[in-house]
Every structure is written in structure tokens, then in C-alpha cells.
């Protein structure tokens, strides 16, 4: 029963407390990083938008990414789409989403307190018209990031960008991959190009930068199944969207962890893995996809894997008047950041041991 004594205790503790007065030790640490001395917080609708409200480091590349552990990179290129264009506007839309983080309540962490993070702007492209040059520029820029020992998280852009990112991240040894998508994206070249968004992961395997036997693809569905033969033939694990509720999220997570093992892993998230009721703003929506809750639960369950890079792709905001798709993209970006920050923390602890 709620008594007068209990009310008196609450009044004594909270009656004159300001927003910054948080008493739980764990939450208090988070609050101290967010409130000013006067008790105010940064207005979410003011200032220049960046990914996850991270510091903007426009000169990071000139300084060889010094002082950074993780960089958030825009890749506004969609010349590889097979149908509806528009994902070039994805990075800008994701930057405009406010109030994501700084605290992840399931993993109980603030990634900004673990890793030094910055939004370093967009990949500098030489031409908006040449798909091949764009991929050369992506690979060259991410090679510089990898050379500096920094972990990249990319925001696209169409899914073809993942191929050139993987060529940088997997250049010294093939990496595993957790891939959430409606499509396997392992089709061969067509219309005279291998750089389309339906085939980045076949090309990555053929180039020796992606280990297909340590790759799992989750949420697959739709009418293109007949062109995904390479996934099965190369040894990738494919979990269709309808399998997820039948298996259960915990079983999906267990399968992913078993496939990946202890080696380095790349995380690629295409927003069309979600049902279009949650994320309509994408180039190739497919009915019957994952819910946003399922996707978040799967990602959070991957904590402890050795992540070396990640991306969020195919946000095409002009097909979504609600901005829900961009909001999903920003939240997924935050979850990826948490997983990578946790990986960095684990590596640091092992090196000290």
C-alpha cells in the first residue's frame, strides 16, 4: 500500500530535484554526460544535424582519422539500383532524425562513453554519373579508414556500396557477415555491370574478401529467390522471413552466432528486411518482412561478436511521407554503433589481461 510515509520519502528525495538529479549510480553516470551545470540539455531540434548527434569531424581524413575509434560515414550513391532510385538521399534523411541515443536500454550502455566517435561526412565522389568511379572512390576512402585502424559504419546509398566497403575491410583476410535483408544480393552481373545492388556479396566472395561459410542472411523473401542460387552453392546460411517467427528470435540469434564463430564479422542491414508497414521508404519493398521489434532483438542478441564494420542501406526517404524509414535507419545505426563499441571494449580488456 502506498502510504503517507512513502509519499513523504518521495517528496523529500524528488520534491526539489532537477532533471539532472538522477540518483541511481548507473543512470547518474549517463545523466552527467547529458546535462549542463545549469541542468539544461541540448535541444534536439537545434543546430546542425549529424549522424546520432555525433561530433562532426569534417577534417578527419586530412588528419588520418587521428583520435577516433569509430567513424560514421555517409555514402550517398544509388547508381546501382534496379528499380526505384532515391537512396542517395538516405544519409541526409538519417542525419535529420533526432533523439536516438545516447543510452541503449537493453544493452545498458552509452557507446559514446566507450569509443571515440565522429560523423566524418560523406565519401568524396569524383563523379555523380559514373557507377564504376563511385565504387573506386568508396574502396579507396574505406581503405584509408582501415589503414588508420578505425572501424567504419556506413549509411547508404544502395546496397552495392557494401561490395567496395568489404574489399577494404576484408582485404587482409576474409570476414564473416550477418546480413539482414529481403534479398540475398548474390545475383550475377547483368545489364553489363557487376556493381548493381543485387549482387555485392557474390562479388565479395569471388574476390576473396567475404567468407560465405561464415555468412548468414536473415529475412529473405519475395519473387527473386531463383537468382540467389549462389548463396546456397557457396555455403551461406539463409533464413527466410517466414522462418523467423517459426524459429523464434532466440533461435535465429543462436544460429547466427554459431555460423559466425569467433572471427571478424561485418554487419549489413538493408531496411527492406523490414515489412514495408514499418519501412516503406526503400527501393524494393517486399511484403511479409520482419517487424522492427524483431530486427532490434536480433541485433541486440549479437552482442559479443567481433564486429569490424557495419552499414545501413537503402533508405529512400521520398517514398515515405512519415519519415518512419529514416527513423528506423537511425535506430539501427545506433544499435550497430553499440555492438561495435562493445567489441572495442572487449578487445581492450583482452589486451590488458
Amino acid at each position: 500500500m502506498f502510504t503517507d510515509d512513502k509519499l513523504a520519502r518521495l517528496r523529500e528525495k524528488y520534491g526539489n530535484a532537477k532533471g539532472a538529479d538522477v540518483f541511481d549510480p548507473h543512470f547518474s553516470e549517463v545523466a552527467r554526460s547529458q546535462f549542463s551545470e545549469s541542468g539544461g540539455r541540448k535541444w534536439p531540434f537545434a543546430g546542425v544535424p549529424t549522424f546520432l548527434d555525433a561530433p562532426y569531424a569534417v577534417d578527419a581524413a586530412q588528419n588520418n582519422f587521428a583520435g577516433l575509434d569509430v567513424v560514421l560515414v555517409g555514402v550517398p550513391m544509388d547508381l546501382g539500383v534496379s528499380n526505384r532510385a532515391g537512396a542517395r538521399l538516405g544519409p541526409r534523411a538519417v542525419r535529420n532524425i533526432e533523439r536516438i541515443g545516447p543510452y541503449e536500454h537493453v544493452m545498458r550502455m552509452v557507446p559514446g562513453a566507450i569509443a571515440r566517435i565522429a560523423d566524418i561526412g560523406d565519401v568524396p565522389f569524383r563523379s555523380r554519373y559514373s557507377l564504376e568511379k563511385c565504387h573506386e572512390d568508396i574502396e579507396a576512402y574505406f581503405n584509408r579508414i582501415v589503414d588508420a585502424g578505425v572501424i567504419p559504419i556506413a549509411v547508404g546509398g544502395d546496397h552495392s556500396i557494401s561490395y567496395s566497403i568489404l574489399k577494404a575491410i576484408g582485404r587482409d583476410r576474409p570476414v564473416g557477415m550477418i546480413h539482414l535483408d529481403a534479398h540475398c544480393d548474390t545475383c550475377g552481373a547483368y545489364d553489363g555491370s557487376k556493381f548493381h545492388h543485387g549482387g555485392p556479396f557474390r562479388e565479395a566472395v569471388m574476390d576473396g574478401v567475404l567468407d560465405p561459410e561464415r555468412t548468414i542472411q536473415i529475412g529473405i523473401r519475395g519473387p527473386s529467390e531463383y537468382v540467389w542460387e549462389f548463396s546456397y552453392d557457396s555455403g551461406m546460411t539463409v533464413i527466410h522471413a517466414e522462418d523467423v517467427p517459426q524459429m523464434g528470435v532466440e533461435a535465429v540469434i543462436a544460429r547466427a552466432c554459431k555460423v559466425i564463430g569467433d572471427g571478424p564479422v561485418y554487419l549489413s542491414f538493408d531496411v527492406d528486411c523490414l515489412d514495408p508497414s514499418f519501412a516503406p521508404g526503400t527501393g524494393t519493398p517486399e511484403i511479409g518482412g520482419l517487424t522492427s521489434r524483431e530486427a532490434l532483438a536480433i541485433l541486440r542478441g549479437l552482442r559479443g561478436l567481433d564486429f569490424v564494420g557495419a552499414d545501413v542501406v537503402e533508405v529512400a526517404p521520398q517514398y515515405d511521407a512519415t519519415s518512419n524509414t529514416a527513423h528506423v535507419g537511425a535506430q539501427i545505426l545506433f544499435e550497430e554503433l553499440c555492438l561495435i563499441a562493445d567489441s572495442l571494449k572487449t578487445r581492450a580488456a583482452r589486451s590488458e589481461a
Side-chain angles (χ1 to χ4, degrees), residues 347-353:
R347 285 177 217 153
R350 287 174 179 168
S351 65
E352 293 174 359

Side-chain angles (χ1 to χ4, degrees), residues 11-328:
R11 284 174 171 170
E12 180 179 0
K13 186 173 183 178
Y14 293 103
N16 295 314
K18 301 185 292 294
D21 295 329
V22 178
F23 301 97
D24 178 274
H26 175 69
F27 291 140
S28 178
E29 185 178 359
V30 180
R32 285 196 300 271
S33 71
Q34 299 303 305
F35 287 90
S36 66
E37 291 293 332
S38 63
R41 296 173 68 189
K42 181 180 178 181
W43 296 357
F45 48 83
V48 177
T50 63
F51 290 130
L52 306 179
D53 203 29
Y56 185 51
V58 66
D59 297 325
Q62 298 177 23
N63 298 322
N64 198 32
F65 310 101
L68 296 174
D69 300 311
V70 182
V71 292
L72 311 177
V73 191
V75 191
M77 195 282 295
D78 63 0
L79 297 177
V81 298
S82 57
N83 187 21
R84 301 195 299 182
R88 69 182 63 185
L89 302 178
R92 180 171 292 181
V94 172
R95 282 189 175 102
N96 279 326
I97 298 298
E98 74 284 344
R99 297 188 65 252
I100 302 294
Y103 183 68
E104 214 291 354
H105 74 281
V106 175
M107 290 189 270
R108 291 179 61 84
M109 64 182 295
V110 179
I114 299 172
R116 298 167 296 178
I117 304 156
D119 180 342
I120 61 170
D122 296 339
V123 171
F125 290 112
R126 291 170 292 167
S127 171
R128 75 183 74 180
Y129 303 113
S130 171
L131 177 58
E132 289 74 16
K133 285 184 179 179
C134 284
H135 275 278
E136 290 173 4
D137 293 340
I138 294 168
E139 183 180 353
Y141 197 66
F142 279 82
N143 267 319
R144 293 184 61 190
I145 295 171
V146 172
D147 285 341
V150 176
I151 296 180
I153 308 180
V155 179
D158 73 60
H159 218 158
S160 71
I161 72 170
S162 300
Y163 169 45
S164 294
I165 295 171
L166 282 167
K167 287 180 72 176
I169 290 178
R171 67 189 187 190
D172 297 323
R173 76 289 184 242
V175 299
M177 181 176 68
I178 297 172
H179 172 209
L180 285 88
D181 202 325
H183 314 97
C184 287
D185 292 349
T186 50
C187 181
Y190 59 80
D191 292 343
S193 177
K194 67 178 181 179
F195 291 120
H196 57 83
H197 69 169
F201 303 122
R202 178 192 292 213
E203 298 300 326
V205 170
M206 299 299 281
D207 281 355
V209 298
L210 177 64
D211 182 347
E213 295 183 356
R214 293 185 57 241
T215 292
I216 184 167
Q217 303 182 299
I218 303 168
I220 308 304
R221 62 194 186 279
S224 300
E225 180 77 14
Y226 66 97
V227 295
W228 308 140
E229 177 184 54
F230 184 86
S231 288
Y232 302 100
D233 202 23
S234 65
M236 295 182 182
T237 299
V238 178
I239 297 180
H240 290 87
E242 57 270 19
D243 297 332
V244 173
Q246 293 179 5
M247 294 174 61
V249 167
E250 292 301 321
V252 172
I253 294 169
R255 178 76 65 82
C257 292
K258 182 178 180 180
V259 168
I260 295 304
D262 297 328
V265 58
Y266 185 80
L267 175 57
S268 187
F269 191 100
D270 186 327
V271 293
D272 71 23
C273 81
L274 302 174
D275 189 87
S277 61
F278 296 93
T282 191
T284 48
E286 304 281 5
I287 297 298
L290 276 61
T291 68
S292 55
R293 184 179 298 168
E294 287 171 332
L296 290 175
I298 290 169
L299 292 181
R300 289 162 176 164
L302 301 174
R303 186 175 189 177
L305 297 180
D306 185 16
F307 290 100
V308 292
D311 64 48
V312 181
V313 298
E314 300 285 357
V315 173
Q318 65 273 42
Y319 304 118
D320 181 0
T322 68
S323 78
N324 284 352
T325 308
H327 202 142
V328 164

Side-chain angles (χ1 to χ4, degrees), residues 1-17 23:
M1 179 184 297
F2 189 68
T3 64
D4 288 343
D5 288 344
K6 292 178 180 179
L7 176 59
R9 182 187 66 81
L10 291 176
R11 284 174 171 170
E12 180 179 0
K13 186 173 183 178
Y14 293 103
N16 295 314
F23 301 97

